[in-house]
Amino acid sequence: MTPELMIKACTFYTGRLVKTHFCSWRDIAIPLTNEDDELAEKIERAMKYNNFRLQKYVFRLWHSYVKGQKKQLTDTLSQVQKMLHCYKLTAILTKWRDKARLKYKKREDELILKHELQLLKWRNNLKLKVAANGESIFPEPSLSKVSLEGNIPECDISLLPQRAVSQIFFYLSLKDKIICSHVCHSWMLMTQASSLWNGIDFSTVKNIITGKYIVSTLQRWRLNVLRLNFRGCILRLKTLRSVSLCRNLQELNVSDCPTLTDESMRYISEGCPGILYLNLSNTIITNRTMRLLPRHFHNLQNLSLAYCKKFTDKGLRYLNLGDGCHKLIYLDLSGCTQISVQGFRNIANSCTGIMHLTINDMPTLTDNCIKALVERCPRITSIVFIGAPHISDCAFKALSTCNLRKIRFEGNKRITDACFKFIDKNYPNISHIYMADCKRLTDSSLKSLSPLKQLTVLNLANCIRIGDMGVKQFLDGPVSIRIRELNLSNCIHLGDASIMKLSECCPNLNYLSLRNCEHLTDLAIEYVVNIFSLVSVDLSGTNISNEGLMTLSRHKKLKELSLSECYKITDVGIQITDSAMEMLSAKCHYLHILDISGCVLLTDQMLEDLQIGCKQLRILKMQYCRLISMEAAKRMSSIVQQQEYNPGDPPLWFGYDYEGKPLTRQHEIPPPKNVEWTVTESTHSSQEEVV
């Protein structure tokens, strides 16, 4: 090290020591003159920050208060506007109602005047016609006298075209055809048309027909027979073997036949391979018959095994033998309690095309049975489970893989609102829902059904938890446009508000049942009248009175009305007199059946009006009509095909006496004198409109 470097190092070290000690001395020796100022500055900043936070807190409270006051003011203004709007609507509706009532009363007066003029004109024309012809209204000679004189106009049915004759005899039963064949030779030839023997129903004559006649009939028409019905017939093996002669047979019903055995089915299956419909319900068939079904009936589409207790799960496994029953569409297993989960699995493996499934009276049916079935049967579109108490919401979840269109449950206490929770997504095409007597369903179910656009029929009878709110939510959706049939019987919480909603939202409703909805009043009838598409309504057990009945009479399309157990309806609401029957005769020219039993105010004049105005009348019932004479009833019996007449007093349970006055105490009704029943057998078997 050189002296220069040593000097530099010492100088640097000495300078550092001096600087360090000088700074320390300065800090100690010189007082902190600015400390008080800094503390004051910090205190001032702290006070400003504290004031800012306090102002911010107060501002927030003020802002919330102002916002609440503003919202309250807005709500108050909105309520005032709604009240004003409701007041305006009420005033408008009141004026509209008064004008509508005035207009309706004026229209009714005009209509009554028009009817009176028509009746007066009709009476004048009738008098002129009778005076010109010099004839009485009723034919004086009796039927026996006319027959003796030979004045009965002849009508030879054999002169009609063959197509018309076949159409006439087509509506006759087997018994009627046999009777007609014994009238004359020409009638016998007409009953032998081959088209009349395509379907033979032996069940209607099962108590009188012999096995020999059945065998001869099937032998004669074996090539023409397509449909056979032996329901409830007790047949021998030889008679059942004759069914195998009908090679073209397509439908066979042998339900409730106690003598049907596996041996009989063997002959039938070998001779009739083209059967499409087979009903074996309530018979004693076993697994042997189940083995025959897939081997011979390759085109079988409809099979009923209801209440057949002798076959087992093994028999259902036979359905997969050979070509199997893969074309089966409809299957009825009602009452077959011996079937287990494995049996349903066997059905699923062999009948994958099932679309319609009916399983009633099946207390052993569980959710696992349904799950096993739908795993291989995704084409199911309709199910009927009546009397299956162990089915729950899980079964609905399993059926979500199928495209269901119709479901029917009844008397189930395990199904809840959860089954309908996603129904619009799982079953968008469902059209019929029958869930009668399912006590756990509430308004939530109706709310879930509201999005369904294809629903046309809804039956929720005896679902006692359903009320007005559920109906309102149901009708607020698109379902209200297409709904055609609605059954809300025994939904005891329903009131007039539900009917008002129905009248507003259901333009296509045809059938409505409100039986035992005891909270309904005459106000609801005002809304029922506004459902113009309605043709049938059941108001039994409601509080409708005479005023409501008068209101209901304004409905123009109503064809069926049920008012049983409506205790507020009195005789005033349902009186019928000669003037009413005169109006009926002048208007209802196509009336076929008329029942006026118990109308004690009617007289012989009514019969004269009926003969003139209702020329197509076929059946007339006149029980307890005291003012109608025996002579007039006898003359009328020669005009109609069937007549019932009794001039006695009405029974006590009618609630009024022979003068139409309500009974105030128990009366002893003497036996009616000169009571005579005039009944003429009717050969008309088709359904008629009843008034």
Side-chain angles (χ1 to χ4, degrees), residues 91-148:
I92 294 173
L93 287 175
T94 303
K95 292 182 179 179
W96 172 81
R97 183 188 61 187
D98 295 339
K99 290 184 178 180
R101 286 180 176 176
L102 182 61
K103 186 176 180 180
Y104 175 75
K105 188 176 183 303
K106 183 179 179 182
R107 186 169 66 248
E108 277 192 340
D109 294 340
E110 293 177 353
L111 185 61
I112 292 174
L113 180 60
K114 180 180 178 182
H115 286 331
E116 290 178 352
L117 292 176
Q118 288 179 350
L119 285 174
L120 182 60
K121 183 178 179 181
W122 183 62
R123 290 172 182 168
N124 294 333
N125 293 337
L126 178 62
K127 291 179 180 179
L128 293 175
K129 184 176 179 181
V130 172
N133 296 334
E135 299 174 352
S136 61
I137 295 177
F138 285 101
E140 291 299 331
S142 63
L143 184 62
S144 58
K145 183 177 180 180
V146 172
S147 60
L148 291 175

Short mmCIF file of all heavy atoms in Angstrom, two decimals, residues 91-148:
data_model
loop_
_atom_site.label_atom_id
_atom_site.label_comp_id
_atom_site.label_asym_id
_atom_site.label_seq_id
_atom_site.Cartn_x
_atom_site.Cartn_y
_atom_site.Cartn_z
N ALA A 91 -119.40 1.79 -13.86
CA ALA A 91 -120.44 2.66 -14.42
C ALA A 91 -120.81 2.24 -15.83
O ALA A 91 -121.99 2.18 -16.21
CB ALA A 91 -119.95 4.11 -14.40
N ILE A 92 -119.76 1.92 -16.63
CA ILE A 92 -120.02 1.49 -18.01
C ILE A 92 -120.79 0.19 -18.04
O ILE A 92 -121.76 0.02 -18.80
CB ILE A 92 -118.69 1.36 -18.77
CG1 ILE A 92 -118.03 2.75 -18.93
CG2 ILE A 92 -118.90 0.72 -20.13
CD1 ILE A 92 -116.64 2.70 -19.51
N LEU A 93 -120.37 -0.81 -17.21
CA LEU A 93 -121.05 -2.10 -17.17
C LEU A 93 -122.48 -1.97 -16.67
O LEU A 93 -123.38 -2.67 -17.13
CB LEU A 93 -120.27 -3.07 -16.28
CG LEU A 93 -118.96 -3.60 -16.87
CD1 LEU A 93 -118.22 -4.46 -15.84
CD2 LEU A 93 -119.22 -4.41 -18.13
N THR A 94 -122.68 -1.08 -15.69
CA THR A 94 -124.05 -0.87 -15.20
C THR A 94 -124.96 -0.34 -16.30
O THR A 94 -126.09 -0.82 -16.49
CB THR A 94 -124.02 0.10 -14.01
OG1 THR A 94 -123.16 -0.41 -12.99
CG2 THR A 94 -125.42 0.29 -13.44
N LYS A 95 -124.46 0.65 -17.03
CA LYS A 95 -125.25 1.18 -18.14
C LYS A 95 -125.47 0.12 -19.22
O LYS A 95 -126.57 -0.01 -19.77
CB LYS A 95 -124.55 2.40 -18.73
CG LYS A 95 -124.51 3.61 -17.79
CD LYS A 95 -123.83 4.80 -18.47
CE LYS A 95 -123.81 6.01 -17.54
NZ LYS A 95 -123.14 7.18 -18.18
N TRP A 96 -124.39 -0.64 -19.49
CA TRP A 96 -124.51 -1.69 -20.53
C TRP A 96 -125.51 -2.76 -20.10
O TRP A 96 -126.31 -3.24 -20.90
CB TRP A 96 -123.15 -2.31 -20.76
CG TRP A 96 -123.21 -3.52 -21.66
CD1 TRP A 96 -123.27 -3.55 -23.01
CD2 TRP A 96 -123.26 -4.88 -21.23
NE1 TRP A 96 -123.34 -4.84 -23.46
CE2 TRP A 96 -123.34 -5.69 -22.39
CE3 TRP A 96 -123.25 -5.51 -19.99
CZ2 TRP A 96 -123.38 -7.06 -22.33
CZ3 TRP A 96 -123.30 -6.90 -19.93
CH2 TRP A 96 -123.37 -7.65 -21.09
N ARG A 97 -125.46 -3.12 -18.78
CA ARG A 97 -126.38 -4.14 -18.29
C ARG A 97 -127.83 -3.66 -18.37
O ARG A 97 -128.72 -4.41 -18.79
CB ARG A 97 -126.03 -4.47 -16.84
CG ARG A 97 -126.89 -5.58 -16.23
CD ARG A 97 -126.62 -5.71 -14.75
NE ARG A 97 -126.95 -4.45 -14.06
CZ ARG A 97 -126.69 -4.24 -12.79
NH1 ARG A 97 -126.08 -5.15 -12.07
NH2 ARG A 97 -127.03 -3.08 -12.23
N ASP A 98 -128.05 -2.40 -18.00
CA ASP A 98 -129.41 -1.87 -18.07
C ASP A 98 -129.92 -1.85 -19.51
O ASP A 98 -131.06 -2.24 -19.79
CB ASP A 98 -129.45 -0.46 -17.48
CG ASP A 98 -129.13 -0.46 -15.98
OD1 ASP A 98 -129.27 -1.53 -15.36
OD2 ASP A 98 -128.72 0.60 -15.47
N LYS A 99 -129.03 -1.42 -20.43
CA LYS A 99 -129.44 -1.40 -21.84
C LYS A 99 -129.65 -2.82 -22.37
O LYS A 99 -130.60 -3.06 -23.13
CB LYS A 99 -128.38 -0.68 -22.67
CG LYS A 99 -128.31 0.82 -22.42
CD LYS A 99 -127.30 1.48 -23.35
CE LYS A 99 -127.27 2.99 -23.14
NZ LYS A 99 -126.29 3.66 -24.02
N ALA A 100 -128.75 -3.76 -21.95
CA ALA A 100 -128.90 -5.14 -22.41
C ALA A 100 -130.19 -5.76 -21.89
O ALA A 100 -130.89 -6.47 -22.62
CB ALA A 100 -127.69 -5.96 -21.95
N ARG A 101 -130.51 -5.50 -20.61
CA ARG A 101 -131.76 -6.03 -20.06
C ARG A 101 -132.96 -5.45 -20.77
O ARG A 101 -133.93 -6.16 -21.08
CB ARG A 101 -131.83 -5.72 -18.57
CG ARG A 101 -130.91 -6.57 -17.71
CD ARG A 101 -131.02 -6.20 -16.25
NE ARG A 101 -130.21 -7.09 -15.40
CZ ARG A 101 -130.07 -6.95 -14.10
NH1 ARG A 101 -130.70 -5.94 -13.47
NH2 ARG A 101 -129.32 -7.79 -13.41
N LEU A 102 -132.90 -4.15 -21.04
CA LEU A 102 -134.01 -3.52 -21.74
C LEU A 102 -134.16 -4.10 -23.14
O LEU A 102 -135.27 -4.40 -23.59
CB LEU A 102 -133.77 -2.01 -21.81
CG LEU A 102 -134.87 -1.17 -22.49
CD1 LEU A 102 -136.19 -1.32 -21.74
CD2 LEU A 102 -134.46 0.29 -22.57
N LYS A 103 -132.99 -4.27 -23.81
CA LYS A 103 -133.02 -4.83 -25.16
C LYS A 103 -133.50 -6.27 -25.14
O LYS A 103 -134.28 -6.70 -26.00
CB LYS A 103 -131.64 -4.73 -25.79
CG LYS A 103 -131.58 -5.15 -27.23
CD LYS A 103 -130.19 -4.93 -27.81
CE LYS A 103 -130.14 -5.35 -29.27
NZ LYS A 103 -128.78 -5.15 -29.84
N TYR A 104 -133.04 -7.05 -24.13
CA TYR A 104 -133.45 -8.45 -24.04
C TYR A 104 -134.95 -8.55 -23.75
O TYR A 104 -135.64 -9.39 -24.34
CB TYR A 104 -132.65 -9.14 -22.93
CG TYR A 104 -133.07 -10.56 -22.69
CD1 TYR A 104 -132.73 -11.58 -23.57
CD2 TYR A 104 -133.84 -10.89 -21.57
CE1 TYR A 104 -133.12 -12.88 -23.35
CE2 TYR A 104 -134.24 -12.18 -21.34
CZ TYR A 104 -133.87 -13.18 -22.24
OH TYR A 104 -134.27 -14.46 -22.01
N LYS A 105 -135.43 -7.71 -22.86
CA LYS A 105 -136.86 -7.73 -22.56
C LYS A 105 -137.68 -7.36 -23.79
O LYS A 105 -138.72 -7.96 -24.08
CB LYS A 105 -137.16 -6.75 -21.42
CG LYS A 105 -138.59 -6.82 -20.89
CD LYS A 105 -138.77 -5.91 -19.71
CE LYS A 105 -140.20 -6.04 -19.14
NZ LYS A 105 -141.21 -5.77 -20.13
N LYS A 106 -137.16 -6.38 -24.54
CA LYS A 106 -137.86 -5.98 -25.75
C LYS A 106 -137.85 -7.11 -26.76
O LYS A 106 -138.87 -7.39 -27.41
CB LYS A 106 -137.19 -4.74 -26.33
CG LYS A 106 -137.86 -4.19 -27.57
CD LYS A 106 -137.15 -2.94 -28.06
CE LYS A 106 -137.81 -2.40 -29.33
NZ LYS A 106 -137.09 -1.21 -29.84
N ARG A 107 -136.69 -7.80 -26.87
CA ARG A 107 -136.60 -8.91 -27.81
C ARG A 107 -137.51 -10.06 -27.39
O ARG A 107 -138.14 -10.72 -28.23
CB ARG A 107 -135.15 -9.39 -27.91
CG ARG A 107 -134.95 -10.46 -28.98
CD ARG A 107 -133.48 -10.72 -29.25
NE ARG A 107 -132.83 -11.30 -28.09
CZ ARG A 107 -131.93 -10.68 -27.35
NH1 ARG A 107 -131.56 -9.45 -27.66
NH2 ARG A 107 -131.37 -11.27 -26.31
N GLU A 108 -137.58 -10.31 -26.07
CA GLU A 108 -138.47 -11.38 -25.59
C GLU A 108 -139.92 -11.04 -25.87
O GLU A 108 -140.70 -11.91 -26.28
CB GLU A 108 -138.26 -11.59 -24.08
CG GLU A 108 -137.09 -12.47 -23.75
CD GLU A 108 -137.11 -12.88 -22.29
OE1 GLU A 108 -137.78 -12.19 -21.50
OE2 GLU A 108 -136.45 -13.87 -21.95
N ASP A 109 -140.28 -9.79 -25.65
CA ASP A 109 -141.66 -9.39 -25.94
C ASP A 109 -141.98 -9.55 -27.42
O ASP A 109 -143.06 -10.03 -27.79
CB ASP A 109 -141.88 -7.93 -25.51
CG ASP A 109 -141.76 -7.76 -23.99
OD1 ASP A 109 -141.91 -8.77 -23.28
OD2 ASP A 109 -141.51 -6.63 -23.54
N GLU A 110 -141.01 -9.14 -28.26
CA GLU A 110 -141.21 -9.31 -29.70
C GLU A 110 -141.31 -10.78 -30.08
O GLU A 110 -142.13 -11.16 -30.93
CB GLU A 110 -140.07 -8.64 -30.46
CG GLU A 110 -140.05 -7.11 -30.33
CD GLU A 110 -138.86 -6.50 -31.03
OE1 GLU A 110 -138.00 -7.28 -31.50
OE2 GLU A 110 -138.79 -5.26 -31.11
N LEU A 111 -140.46 -11.62 -29.43
CA LEU A 111 -140.49 -13.05 -29.74
C LEU A 111 -141.81 -13.68 -29.29
O LEU A 111 -142.40 -14.49 -30.02
CB LEU A 111 -139.31 -13.73 -29.04
CG LEU A 111 -139.10 -15.22 -29.35
CD1 LEU A 111 -138.84 -15.42 -30.84
CD2 LEU A 111 -137.95 -15.79 -28.53
N ILE A 112 -142.27 -13.30 -28.11
CA ILE A 112 -143.56 -13.83 -27.63
C ILE A 112 -144.69 -13.40 -28.55
O ILE A 112 -145.58 -14.19 -28.90
CB ILE A 112 -143.81 -13.36 -26.19
CG1 ILE A 112 -142.80 -14.01 -25.24
CG2 ILE A 112 -145.23 -13.67 -25.75
CD1 ILE A 112 -142.88 -13.50 -23.82
N LEU A 113 -144.65 -12.13 -28.96
CA LEU A 113 -145.67 -11.65 -29.88
C LEU A 113 -145.61 -12.40 -31.20
O LEU A 113 -146.65 -12.77 -31.77
CB LEU A 113 -145.48 -10.14 -30.11
CG LEU A 113 -146.48 -9.46 -31.06
CD1 LEU A 113 -147.91 -9.61 -30.53
CD2 LEU A 113 -146.12 -7.99 -31.25
N LYS A 114 -144.39 -12.65 -31.67
CA LYS A 114 -144.22 -13.39 -32.92
C LYS A 114 -144.77 -14.81 -32.79
O LYS A 114 -145.47 -15.31 -33.68
CB LYS A 114 -142.74 -13.42 -33.29
CG LYS A 114 -142.44 -14.16 -34.58
CD LYS A 114 -140.95 -14.13 -34.88
CE LYS A 114 -140.64 -14.91 -36.15
NZ LYS A 114 -139.18 -14.93 -36.43
N HIS A 115 -144.47 -15.47 -31.64
CA HIS A 115 -144.98 -16.82 -31.43
C HIS A 115 -146.50 -16.82 -31.33
O HIS A 115 -147.17 -17.72 -31.87
CB HIS A 115 -144.39 -17.40 -30.14
CG HIS A 115 -142.96 -17.79 -30.27
ND1 HIS A 115 -142.40 -18.18 -31.46
CD2 HIS A 115 -141.95 -17.83 -29.35
CE1 HIS A 115 -141.13 -18.47 -31.28
NE2 HIS A 115 -140.82 -18.25 -30.01
N GLU A 116 -147.05 -15.81 -30.68
CA GLU A 116 -148.51 -15.74 -30.57
C GLU A 116 -149.15 -15.56 -31.94
O GLU A 116 -150.17 -16.18 -32.25
CB GLU A 116 -148.90 -14.59 -29.64
CG GLU A 116 -148.56 -14.85 -28.18
CD GLU A 116 -148.92 -13.67 -27.30
OE1 GLU A 116 -149.27 -12.61 -27.87
OE2 GLU A 116 -148.85 -13.80 -26.06
N LEU A 117 -148.52 -14.74 -32.77
CA LEU A 117 -149.04 -14.55 -34.12
C LEU A 117 -148.94 -15.84 -34.94
O LEU A 117 -149.85 -16.20 -35.70
CB LEU A 117 -148.29 -13.42 -34.82
CG LEU A 117 -148.53 -12.01 -34.25
CD1 LEU A 117 -147.64 -10.99 -34.96
CD2 LEU A 117 -149.99 -11.61 -34.39
N GLN A 118 -147.79 -16.55 -34.76
CA GLN A 118 -147.62 -17.82 -35.48
C GLN A 118 -148.65 -18.85 -35.02
O GLN A 118 -149.23 -19.58 -35.84
CB GLN A 118 -146.21 -18.36 -35.26
CG GLN A 118 -145.13 -17.56 -35.99
CD GLN A 118 -143.75 -18.13 -35.73
OE1 GLN A 118 -143.57 -18.98 -34.87
NE2 GLN A 118 -142.77 -17.64 -36.47
N LEU A 119 -148.88 -18.91 -33.69
CA LEU A 119 -149.87 -19.85 -33.19
C LEU A 119 -151.27 -19.50 -33.68
O LEU A 119 -152.06 -20.38 -34.04
CB LEU A 119 -149.85 -19.86 -31.65
CG LEU A 119 -148.67 -20.59 -31.00
CD1 LEU A 119 -148.70 -20.39 -29.50
CD2 LEU A 119 -148.72 -22.07 -31.34
N LEU A 120 -151.58 -18.21 -33.69
CA LEU A 120 -152.89 -17.78 -34.18
C LEU A 120 -153.06 -18.13 -35.65
O LEU A 120 -154.12 -18.64 -36.06
CB LEU A 120 -153.03 -16.26 -33.97
CG LEU A 120 -154.37 -15.66 -34.39
CD1 LEU A 120 -155.52 -16.29 -33.59
CD2 LEU A 120 -154.36 -14.15 -34.20
N LYS A 121 -152.00 -17.90 -36.43
CA LYS A 121 -152.06 -18.25 -37.85
C LYS A 121 -152.19 -19.75 -38.04
O LYS A 121 -152.95 -20.23 -38.89
CB LYS A 121 -150.80 -17.72 -38.54
CG LYS A 121 -150.77 -17.95 -40.04
CD LYS A 121 -149.52 -17.35 -40.65
CE LYS A 121 -149.49 -17.60 -42.15
NZ LYS A 121 -148.23 -17.04 -42.76
N TRP A 122 -151.45 -20.49 -37.21
CA TRP A 122 -151.50 -21.95 -37.30
C TRP A 122 -152.89 -22.47 -36.95
O TRP A 122 -153.42 -23.36 -37.61
CB TRP A 122 -150.44 -22.52 -36.33
CG TRP A 122 -150.32 -23.99 -36.35
CD1 TRP A 122 -149.96 -24.79 -37.38
CD2 TRP A 122 -150.57 -24.87 -35.25
NE1 TRP A 122 -149.95 -26.09 -37.00
CE2 TRP A 122 -150.32 -26.17 -35.69
CE3 TRP A 122 -150.97 -24.66 -33.92
CZ2 TRP A 122 -150.46 -27.28 -34.86
CZ3 TRP A 122 -151.10 -25.75 -33.08
CH2 TRP A 122 -150.86 -27.05 -33.56
N ARG A 123 -153.50 -21.90 -35.92
CA ARG A 123 -154.84 -22.32 -35.55
C ARG A 123 -155.85 -21.99 -36.64
O ARG A 123 -156.73 -22.82 -36.95
CB ARG A 123 -155.25 -21.62 -34.25
CG ARG A 123 -154.49 -22.09 -33.02
CD ARG A 123 -154.81 -21.21 -31.84
NE ARG A 123 -154.09 -21.59 -30.64
CZ ARG A 123 -154.03 -20.85 -29.55
NH1 ARG A 123 -154.67 -19.68 -29.51
NH2 ARG A 123 -153.35 -21.25 -28.49
N ASN A 124 -155.75 -20.79 -37.22
CA ASN A 124 -156.69 -20.41 -38.28
C ASN A 124 -156.56 -21.33 -39.49
O ASN A 124 -157.55 -21.76 -40.07
CB ASN A 124 -156.45 -18.96 -38.69
CG ASN A 124 -156.79 -17.99 -37.57
OD1 ASN A 124 -157.63 -18.29 -36.72
ND2 ASN A 124 -156.16 -16.83 -37.58
N ASN A 125 -155.28 -21.62 -39.87
CA ASN A 125 -155.08 -22.53 -41.00
C ASN A 125 -155.63 -23.91 -40.69
O ASN A 125 -156.20 -24.58 -41.57
CB ASN A 125 -153.59 -22.63 -41.33
CG ASN A 125 -153.04 -21.32 -41.89
OD1 ASN A 125 -153.80 -20.50 -42.41
ND2 ASN A 125 -151.75 -21.12 -41.79
N LEU A 126 -155.45 -24.35 -39.45
CA LEU A 126 -155.96 -25.66 -39.06
C LEU A 126 -157.49 -25.70 -39.12
O LEU A 126 -158.09 -26.65 -39.63
CB LEU A 126 -155.47 -25.99 -37.65
CG LEU A 126 -155.95 -27.32 -37.07
CD1 LEU A 126 -155.46 -28.47 -37.92
CD2 LEU A 126 -155.48 -27.47 -35.63
N LYS A 127 -158.12 -24.64 -38.62
CA LYS A 127 -159.58 -24.60 -38.66
C LYS A 127 -160.09 -24.59 -40.10
O LYS A 127 -161.06 -25.27 -40.43
CB LYS A 127 -160.08 -23.36 -37.91
CG LYS A 127 -159.86 -23.42 -36.41
CD LYS A 127 -160.36 -22.14 -35.73
CE LYS A 127 -160.15 -22.21 -34.23
NZ LYS A 127 -160.59 -20.96 -33.55
N LEU A 128 -159.42 -23.79 -40.95
CA LEU A 128 -159.83 -23.74 -42.35
C LEU A 128 -159.66 -25.09 -43.02
O LEU A 128 -160.50 -25.54 -43.80
CB LEU A 128 -159.03 -22.67 -43.09
CG LEU A 128 -159.30 -21.21 -42.67
CD1 LEU A 128 -158.35 -20.27 -43.39
CD2 LEU A 128 -160.75 -20.83 -42.99
N LYS A 129 -158.53 -25.77 -42.69
CA LYS A 129 -158.26 -27.07 -43.30
C LYS A 129 -159.27 -28.11 -42.85
O LYS A 129 -159.79 -28.90 -43.65
CB LYS A 129 -156.84 -27.51 -42.93
CG LYS A 129 -156.42 -28.80 -43.59
CD LYS A 129 -154.97 -29.13 -43.24
CE LYS A 129 -154.55 -30.44 -43.89
NZ LYS A 129 -153.14 -30.78 -43.55
N VAL A 130 -159.58 -28.09 -41.53
CA VAL A 130 -160.55 -29.04 -41.01
C VAL A 130 -161.94 -28.76 -41.57
O VAL A 130 -162.69 -29.66 -41.93
CB VAL A 130 -160.56 -28.99 -39.47
CG1 VAL A 130 -161.70 -29.83 -38.91
CG2 VAL A 130 -159.23 -29.47 -38.92
N ALA A 131 -162.27 -27.45 -41.66
CA ALA A 131 -163.58 -27.10 -42.20
C ALA A 131 -163.70 -27.48 -43.67
O ALA A 131 -164.76 -27.89 -44.14
CB ALA A 131 -163.81 -25.60 -42.02
N ALA A 132 -162.62 -27.32 -44.42
CA ALA A 132 -162.65 -27.64 -45.85
C ALA A 132 -162.77 -29.14 -46.07
O ALA A 132 -163.47 -29.59 -46.98
CB ALA A 132 -161.40 -27.09 -46.54
N ASN A 133 -162.07 -29.93 -45.26
CA ASN A 133 -162.09 -31.38 -45.45
C ASN A 133 -163.27 -32.05 -44.76
O ASN A 133 -163.62 -33.19 -45.07
CB ASN A 133 -160.79 -32.01 -44.93
CG ASN A 133 -159.57 -31.53 -45.71
OD1 ASN A 133 -159.70 -31.15 -46.88
ND2 ASN A 133 -158.41 -31.55 -45.07
N GLY A 134 -163.82 -31.31 -43.80
CA GLY A 134 -164.95 -31.89 -43.08
C GLY A 134 -164.57 -33.08 -42.24
O GLY A 134 -165.33 -34.01 -42.06
N GLU A 135 -163.31 -33.10 -41.72
CA GLU A 135 -162.79 -34.23 -40.97
C GLU A 135 -162.47 -33.79 -39.56
O GLU A 135 -162.19 -32.62 -39.29
CB GLU A 135 -161.53 -34.79 -41.62
CG GLU A 135 -161.76 -35.29 -43.05
CD GLU A 135 -160.45 -35.68 -43.68
OE1 GLU A 135 -159.39 -35.41 -43.06
OE2 GLU A 135 -160.48 -36.25 -44.78
N SER A 136 -162.50 -34.74 -38.65
CA SER A 136 -162.08 -34.48 -37.28
C SER A 136 -160.58 -34.70 -37.18
O SER A 136 -159.97 -35.32 -38.04
CB SER A 136 -162.81 -35.42 -36.31
OG SER A 136 -162.48 -36.76 -36.62
N ILE A 137 -160.01 -34.21 -36.12
CA ILE A 137 -158.56 -34.31 -35.97
C ILE A 137 -158.13 -35.75 -35.74
O ILE A 137 -157.18 -36.23 -36.35
CB ILE A 137 -158.10 -33.43 -34.79
CG1 ILE A 137 -158.37 -31.97 -35.13
CG2 ILE A 137 -156.65 -33.63 -34.47
CD1 ILE A 137 -158.03 -31.02 -34.01
N PHE A 138 -158.82 -36.48 -34.90
CA PHE A 138 -158.49 -37.87 -34.65
C PHE A 138 -159.35 -38.76 -35.53
O PHE A 138 -160.54 -38.49 -35.73
CB PHE A 138 -158.74 -38.25 -33.18
CG PHE A 138 -157.70 -37.71 -32.26
CD1 PHE A 138 -157.95 -36.58 -31.51
CD2 PHE A 138 -156.47 -38.33 -32.16
CE1 PHE A 138 -157.00 -36.10 -30.65
CE2 PHE A 138 -155.51 -37.85 -31.31
CZ PHE A 138 -155.77 -36.73 -30.55
N PRO A 139 -158.81 -39.82 -36.05
CA PRO A 139 -159.62 -40.77 -36.81
C PRO A 139 -160.60 -41.47 -35.89
O PRO A 139 -160.21 -42.02 -34.86
CB PRO A 139 -158.59 -41.75 -37.38
CG PRO A 139 -157.40 -41.63 -36.47
CD PRO A 139 -157.41 -40.24 -35.96
N GLU A 140 -161.87 -41.42 -36.22
CA GLU A 140 -162.91 -41.98 -35.38
C GLU A 140 -162.87 -43.50 -35.33
O GLU A 140 -162.99 -44.08 -34.27
CB GLU A 140 -164.29 -41.50 -35.86
CG GLU A 140 -164.53 -40.03 -35.62
CD GLU A 140 -164.46 -39.68 -34.15
OE1 GLU A 140 -164.77 -40.55 -33.31
OE2 GLU A 140 -164.09 -38.54 -33.83
N PRO A 141 -162.74 -44.18 -36.48
CA PRO A 141 -162.77 -45.64 -36.41
C PRO A 141 -161.56 -46.18 -35.66
O PRO A 141 -160.47 -45.62 -35.75
CB PRO A 141 -162.79 -46.09 -37.87
CG PRO A 141 -162.61 -44.89 -38.69
CD PRO A 141 -162.60 -43.69 -37.84
N SER A 142 -161.75 -47.25 -34.92
CA SER A 142 -160.65 -47.87 -34.19
C SER A 142 -159.78 -48.67 -35.15
O SER A 142 -160.13 -48.92 -36.30
CB SER A 142 -161.20 -48.79 -33.10
OG SER A 142 -161.93 -49.85 -33.70
N LEU A 143 -158.64 -49.10 -34.63
CA LEU A 143 -157.69 -49.84 -35.46
C LEU A 143 -158.26 -51.19 -35.87
O LEU A 143 -158.06 -51.64 -37.00
CB LEU A 143 -156.38 -50.03 -34.68
CG LEU A 143 -155.24 -50.71 -35.44
CD1 LEU A 143 -154.83 -49.88 -36.64
CD2 LEU A 143 -154.05 -50.94 -34.51
N SER A 144 -158.99 -51.81 -34.96
CA SER A 144 -159.57 -53.12 -35.30
C SER A 144 -160.62 -52.99 -36.39
O SER A 144 -160.72 -53.83 -37.29
CB SER A 144 -160.18 -53.76 -34.05
OG SER A 144 -161.16 -52.91 -33.50
N LYS A 145 -161.39 -51.92 -36.33
CA LYS A 145 -162.44 -51.72 -37.35
C LYS A 145 -161.82 -51.46 -38.71
O LYS A 145 -162.28 -51.97 -39.72
CB LYS A 145 -163.33 -50.54 -36.93
CG LYS A 145 -164.49 -50.29 -37.87
CD LYS A 145 -165.36 -49.17 -37.35
CE LYS A 145 -166.53 -48.92 -38.30
NZ LYS A 145 -167.39 -47.82 -37.81
N VAL A 146 -160.76 -50.67 -38.73
CA VAL A 146 -160.10 -50.40 -40.00
C VAL A 146 -159.53 -51.66 -40.59
O VAL A 146 -159.58 -51.90 -41.79
CB VAL A 146 -158.99 -49.34 -39.79
CG1 VAL A 146 -158.16 -49.18 -41.05
CG2 VAL A 146 -159.60 -48.01 -39.40
N SER A 147 -158.96 -52.50 -39.72
CA SER A 147 -158.38 -53.74 -40.23
C SER A 147 -159.45 -54.66 -40.80
O SER A 147 -159.21 -55.37 -41.78
CB SER A 147 -157.60 -54.44 -39.11
OG SER A 147 -158.48 -54.76 -38.05
N LEU A 148 -160.64 -54.66 -40.18
CA LEU A 148 -161.71 -55.50 -40.70
C LEU A 148 -162.20 -55.00 -42.04
O LEU A 148 -162.59 -55.77 -42.90
CB LEU A 148 -162.86 -55.55 -39.69
CG LEU A 148 -162.56 -56.30 -38.38
CD1 LEU A 148 -163.73 -56.16 -37.41
CD2 LEU A 148 -162.26 -57.77 -38.67
#
